[in-house]
């Protein structure tokens, strides 16, 4: 009976739902799993099988599924105000959230502009940068710079500053060209080189471009510390300091895309804190609502805000989305920030991270594993001589071991919610090793 129910959901989904980032034909061989409910770090299907959400449901979930504190906040908000437009009107959740985020940057980034998804936040940062220069009489600043292997979302503007061939190539003719500079990916370190050496080398590429063309460049966009979607490429914070200096010298805006790495993921609330720099624009999404509701935002400085402040309507930033600043999403974000404070999450994560790193030591030393690396609550390693279809085979095998994991090419990574207990941490490490050995055929 239950079995029928599960397979019928799969069939109905495949008939009517076009799933994201998926070649639908692959579901002829790869399982599609209908989720019935979630609790803590676990997702449950209709047959009562469970899956440890080791990648936080695409990096969004911070404090588990059906978190009682976030649920309570949302239930309260639901009876007050589900939504109101944010032009001409305002409301308590969006005000409190903007104030608290500003405080987290020491009020350097004191103005927050809202949207619903990460790609839209990137679009907003790009448009704001261009428009701020234009309003300041520098309309020749029209170019954008991104890093090799960068990922900033799938909309036309965000894809233009993305450098992942698989996502970008089909749409090439639709996209405005941007400058692609070297990635500071520490895996490029040669014999006797450190991650800082790689960072210096990559910053020299930025310097070369800014020197040649800085007059025409509006902004450089960077995912600080970890380029996630390209395969968890990690770099030394020195890179961000060097690029910040170059941005100041050449009058180029720095956009930091913290959509994946923000909200404590790399060990500090904002990744850029580890470099001791603040950007001109900071994009947040994914974890900010605890993984509950679509919410994104761009934080910026007073000078940028002032460049738009005028009696002339056309000098304003006239961008909008219907659900801009949705009260429910903002309330989920406030509950998320409350948990960070009340539970001293960043400190607790250091303890979790030490335990999982220790538990992964045998895997880190495996002869078919290289570049085992970690930044905060992100672990990654690359499979040596990975078989064809490694990623899909790993996903299917992981499902058999009650794990939700989706490697990126040969890169296996974990990005778990910040709630795993000791048993879950040890289980995650043991199961990941079992899956890896089975798939790699060792
Ligand atoms: C996920 C992601 C985006 C896009 O966010 P969406 O909500 O999927 O549009 C942009 N930048 C980075 C770094 C991301 O990880």
């Amino acid at each position: 009976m239950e079995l029928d129910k599960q397979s019928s959901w799969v069939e109905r989904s495949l008939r009517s739902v076009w799933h994201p980032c998926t070649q639908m034909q692959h579901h002829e061989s790869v399982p599609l799993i209908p989720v019935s409910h979630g609790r803590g770090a676990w997702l449950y299907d209709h047959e009562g099988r469970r899956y440890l959400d080791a990648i936080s449901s695409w990096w969004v979930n911070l404090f588990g599924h059906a978190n009682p504190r976030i649920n309570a906040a949302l239930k309260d908000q639901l009876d007050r105000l589900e939504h109101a437009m944010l032009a001409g009107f305002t409301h308590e959740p969006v005000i409190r959230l903007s104030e608290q985020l500003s405080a987290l940057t020491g009020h350097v980034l004191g103005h927050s502009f809202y949207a619903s998804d990460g790609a839209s936040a990137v679009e907003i940062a790009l448009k704001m940068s261009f428009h701020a220069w234009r309003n300041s009489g520098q309309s020749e600043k029209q170019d954008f710079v991104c890093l090799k292997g960068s990922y900033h979302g799938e909309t036309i503007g965000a894809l233009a500053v993305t450098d992942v061939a698989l996502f970008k190539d089909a749409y090439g003719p639709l996209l405005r060209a941007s400058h692609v500079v070297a990635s500071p990916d520490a895996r490029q370190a040669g014999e006797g080189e450190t991650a800082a050496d790689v960072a210096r080398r990559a910053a020299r590429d930025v310097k070369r471009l800014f020197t040649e063309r800085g007059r025409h460049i509006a902004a450089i966009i960077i995912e600080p510390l970890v380029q996630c979607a390209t395969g968890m490429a990690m770099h030394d914070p020195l890179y961000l300091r060097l690029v910040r200096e170059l941005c100041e010298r050449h009058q180029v805006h720095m956009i930091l895309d913290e959509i994946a790495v923000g909200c404590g993921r790399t060990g500090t609330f904002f990744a850029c804190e580890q470099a001791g720099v603040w950007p001109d624009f900071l994009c947040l999404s994914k974890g900010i609502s605890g993984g509950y509701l679509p919410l994104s935002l761009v934080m910026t400085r007073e000078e940028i805000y002032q460049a738009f402040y005028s009696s002339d309507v056309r000098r304003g930033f006239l961008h909008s989305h219907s659900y801009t600043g949705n009260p429910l999403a903002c309330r989920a974000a406030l509950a998320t920030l409350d948990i960070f404070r009340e539970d001293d999450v960043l400190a607790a994560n250091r303890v979790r991270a030490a335990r999982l790193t220790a538990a992964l030591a045998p895997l880190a030393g495996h002869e078919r594993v290289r570049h085992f690396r970690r930044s905060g609550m992100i672990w990654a390693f690359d499979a040596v001589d990975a078989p064809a279809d490694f990623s899909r085979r790993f996903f299917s095998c992981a499902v058999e071991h009650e794990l939700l994991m989706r490697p990126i090419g040969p890169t296996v990574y974990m990005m778990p919610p910040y709630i795993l207990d000791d048993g879950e941490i040890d289980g995650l490490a043991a199961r990941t090793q079992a899956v890896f050995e089975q798939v790699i055929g060792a």
Side-chain angles (χ1 to χ4, degrees):
M1 216 29 212
E2 285 294 299
L3 249 172
D4 285 340
K5 205 165 149 197
Q6 171 119 342
S7 58
S8 128
W9 285 123
V10 171
E11 258 169 53
R12 286 167 64 183
S13 193
L14 291 177
R15 214 177 305 130
S16 56
V17 182
W18 197 336
H19 292 268
C21 203
T22 298
Q23 169 49 267
M24 292 299 290
Q25 198 198 51
H26 287 165
H27 279 306
E28 290 180 10
S29 58
V30 176
L32 178 67
I33 300 162
V35 178
S36 126
H37 61 284
R39 178 120 325 140
W42 299 88
L43 293 169
Y44 295 82
D45 68 16
H46 290 269
E47 293 169 355
R49 286 182 55 96
R50 56 178 201 162
Y51 310 91
L52 183 72
D53 192 352
I55 55 172
S56 298
S57 282
W58 259 351
W59 322 344
V60 301
N61 188 288
L62 299 191
F63 298 117
H65 299 280
N67 182 286
R69 283 186 274 177
I70 303 176
N71 285 7
L74 280 175
K75 284 172 186 166
D76 177 70
Q77 185 59 41
L78 202 50
D79 285 331
R80 290 169 195 272
L81 176 66
E82 82 299 332
H83 184 68
M85 62 186 285
L86 201 62
F89 284 73
T90 191
H91 52 75
E92 186 176 329
V94 78
I95 296 165
R96 286 192 189 282
L97 180 57
S98 307
E99 288 174 348
Q100 290 186 22
L101 288 170
S102 170
L104 286 172
T105 68
H107 302 289
V108 173
L109 303 174
H111 301 273
S112 289
F113 193 100
Y114 289 84
S116 318
D117 56 73
S120 299
V122 169
E123 303 272 342
I124 287 163
L126 297 174
K127 282 177 71 179
M128 261 188 191
S129 168
F130 167 80
H131 198 166
W133 288 124
R134 186 181 134 105
N135 280 350
S136 326
Q138 291 185 261
S139 47
E140 73 283 3
K141 283 184 160 299
Q142 301 183 357
D143 291 6
F144 295 110
V145 182
C146 64
L147 271 53
K148 198 162 176 0
S150 58
Y151 179 88
H152 299 291
E154 307 284 350
T155 55
I156 302 280
L159 205 50
V161 289
T162 286
D163 182 50
V164 179
L166 182 63
F167 300 144
K168 187 170 185 175
D169 281 0
Y171 310 101
L174 305 183
L175 306 175
R176 194 166 175 277
S178 47
H179 303 280
V180 181
V181 290
S183 163
D185 181 354
R187 287 175 297 181
Q188 299 167 95
E191 193 70 21
E193 259 192 327
T194 63
D197 293 329
V198 180
R200 273 185 215 98
R201 186 147 29 95
R204 279 199 294 276
D205 198 31
V206 177
K207 184 175 179 184
R208 172 199 56 78
L209 177 67
F210 283 10
T211 305
E212 270 170 30
R213 217 177 142 81
R215 227 164 49 79
H216 296 279
I217 295 173
I220 180 168
I221 181 165
I222 300 169
E223 243 190 302
L225 299 191
V226 190
Q227 292 182 275
C228 296
T230 195
M232 304 299 157
M234 300 184 184
H235 61 254
D236 195 289
L238 173 66
Y239 178 73
L240 303 169
R241 278 198 294 282
L242 295 174
V243 172
R244 180 72 246 181
E245 283 169 25
L246 291 167
C247 285
E248 267 156 44
R249 192 168 330 142
H250 294 270
Q251 289 213 356
V252 170
H253 290 146
M254 181 189 226
I255 302 171
L256 291 185
D257 176 349
E258 297 225 6
I259 290 166
V261 297
C263 302
R265 189 47 80 177
T266 67
T268 42
F269 189 83
F270 297 108
C272 61
E273 291 174 60
Q274 292 177 51
V277 303
W278 293 113
D280 301 292
F281 302 94
L282 191 149
C283 304
L284 275 188
S285 187
K286 293 206 162 99
I288 187 62
S289 72
Y292 267 67
L293 288 159
L295 180 70
S296 68
L297 59 113
V298 178
M299 302 173 70
T300 191
R301 295 172 184 264
E302 183 65 21
E303 306 90 271
I304 303 283
Y305 180 76
Q306 286 303 332
F308 292 83
Y309 201 84
S310 158
S311 56
D312 182 351
V313 68
R314 290 162 309 173
R315 286 175 66 94
F317 191 63
L318 304 184
H319 187 105
S320 68
H321 296 282
S322 310
Y323 284 100
T324 293
N326 174 261
L328 283 166
C330 290
R331 190 66 190 273
L334 285 169
T336 299
L337 294 183
D338 284 347
I339 296 175
F340 268 103
R341 269 192 311 273
E342 289 162 13
D343 294 4
D344 199 355
V345 168
L346 298 177
N349 276 353
R350 284 194 283 276
V351 178
R352 283 190 189 95
R355 187 175 181 107
L356 183 52
T357 304
L360 287 169
L363 191 49
H366 195 285
E367 59 175 8
R368 300 283 294 278
V369 165
R370 75 175 161 188
H371 298 310
F372 183 90
R373 54 200 182 274
R374 177 179 79 88
S375 173
M377 292 291 281
I378 306 174
W379 289 258
F381 61 86
D382 303 339
V384 177
D385 298 327
D389 294 348
F390 173 76
S391 171
R392 261 185 287 154
R393 283 165 59 180
F394 193 102
F395 170 82
S396 301
C397 185
V399 158
E400 298 296 318
H401 287 77
E402 298 191 326
L403 275 186
L404 167 50
M405 283 174 77
R406 274 172 63 116
I408 301 169
T411 299
V412 178
Y413 75 92
M414 279 160 247
M415 223 154 144
Y418 309 159
I419 52 159
L420 298 190
D421 63 25
D422 288 353
E424 287 166 337
I425 288 172
D426 297 346
L428 171 57
R431 288 169 204 215
T432 302
Q433 182 164 352
V435 172
F436 179 75
E437 287 175 348
Q438 201 169 321
V439 175
I440 209 89

